[in-house]
């Protein structure tokens, strides 16, 4: 839609990194304002319950900016203005760790990292091994580049305009 403002890639990447699955808050992309917002999950998941809570609290005529955003989300039943950002579970970080390992020229380091990502505690062991091998910065550069690529593909697939601020 022509009226949507571009969202900063850094905000989409941050939303991707933030685990909101079990939180009482949820991130949403506000296409009208071109930003990622964080709000109470109930306003998104159950607008009727949220309305009831706000009525009981006497907030229905409030000018509070947080209330107004949550009200807009509750009213956006068609999911036109607000959409969920890219999901970290769709990014598949474990797969990215494996891909990173295959980019390494040092076969000894690659072998150590391949071993590190096997079994329980793979993420912690991977990070510890990266640190020991002095590859932490390389991993985070790779991870950032792949996250950026992932959110760009997500934005294009979902017709979300974006601006590169990374």
């Amino acid at each position: 839609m022509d009226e949507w403002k571009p969202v900063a890639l850094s905000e989409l990447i941050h939303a991707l990194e933030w685990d909101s699955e079990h939180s009482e808050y949820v991130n949403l992309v506000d296409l009208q304002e071109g930003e990622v917002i964080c709000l109470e999950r109930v306003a998104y998941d159950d607008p009727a319950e949220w309305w009831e809570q706000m009525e009981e609290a006497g907030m229905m005529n409030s000018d509070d900016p947080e209330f107004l955003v949550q009200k807009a989300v509750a009213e956006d039943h068609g999911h036109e203005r607000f959409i969920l950002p890219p999901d970290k579970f769709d990014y598949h970080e474990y797969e990215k760790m494996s891909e990173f390992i295959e980019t390494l020229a040092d076969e000894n380091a690659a072998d150590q990292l391949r071993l590190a990502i096997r079994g329980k505690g793979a993420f912690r062991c991977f990070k510890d091994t990266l640190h020991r091998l002095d590859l932490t910065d390389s991993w985070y550069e790779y991870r950032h580049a792949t996250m950026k690529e992932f959110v760009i593909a997500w934005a294009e697939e979902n017709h979300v305009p974006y601006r590169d601020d990374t």
Side-chain angles (χ1 to χ4, degrees), residues 39 43-44 46-48 50-51 69-77 82:
L39 71 148
Y44 180 77
D46 192 347
W50 181 82
W51 280 111
V69 169
Q70 292 187 129
K71 180 180 177 185
V73 170
E75 291 174 341
D76 189 40
H77 296 291
F82 299 96

Side-chain angles (χ1 to χ4, degrees), residues 3 9 127 132 148 159:
E3 67 216 44
L9 286 179
K127 288 182 181 179
R132 189 171 39 76
K148 180 178 175 178
H159 310 288

Side-chain angles (χ1 to χ4, degrees), residues 32-55:
Q32 181 174 307
E33 298 300 321
E35 62 188 9
V36 175
I37 61 169
C38 180
L39 71 148
E40 291 178 79
R41 182 175 291 281
V42 68
Y44 180 77
D45 288 346
D46 192 347
E49 181 181 330
W50 181 82
W51 280 111
E52 188 176 307
Q53 290 175 0
M54 293 301 106
E55 285 176 338

Side-chain angles (χ1 to χ4, degrees), residues 98-142:
S98 294
E99 291 171 6
F100 170 75
I101 292 168
E102 298 311 313
T103 68
L104 297 175
D106 181 342
E107 196 57 40
N108 181 41
D111 286 342
Q112 290 181 56
L113 286 165
R114 281 186 199 101
L115 191 60
I117 63 172
R118 291 188 185 151
K120 188 175 180 178
F123 287 90
R124 173 80 278 157
C125 194
F126 177 75
K127 288 182 181 179
D128 290 346
T129 305
L130 284 171
H131 181 70
R132 189 171 39 76
L133 297 171
D134 198 28
L135 291 171
T136 304
D137 289 345
S138 297
W139 159 245
Y140 282 108
E141 288 171 15
Y142 180 86

Side-chain angles (χ1 to χ4, degrees), residues 7-14 144-145 147-149 151-152 162-166:
V7 181
L9 286 179
S10 63
E11 288 189 38
L12 293 173
I13 291 169
H14 180 72
H144 178 79
M147 281 187 164
K148 180 178 175 178
E149 183 180 290
V151 298
I152 288 172
Y162 62 88
R163 67 181 187 286
D164 190 346
D165 66 334
T166 62

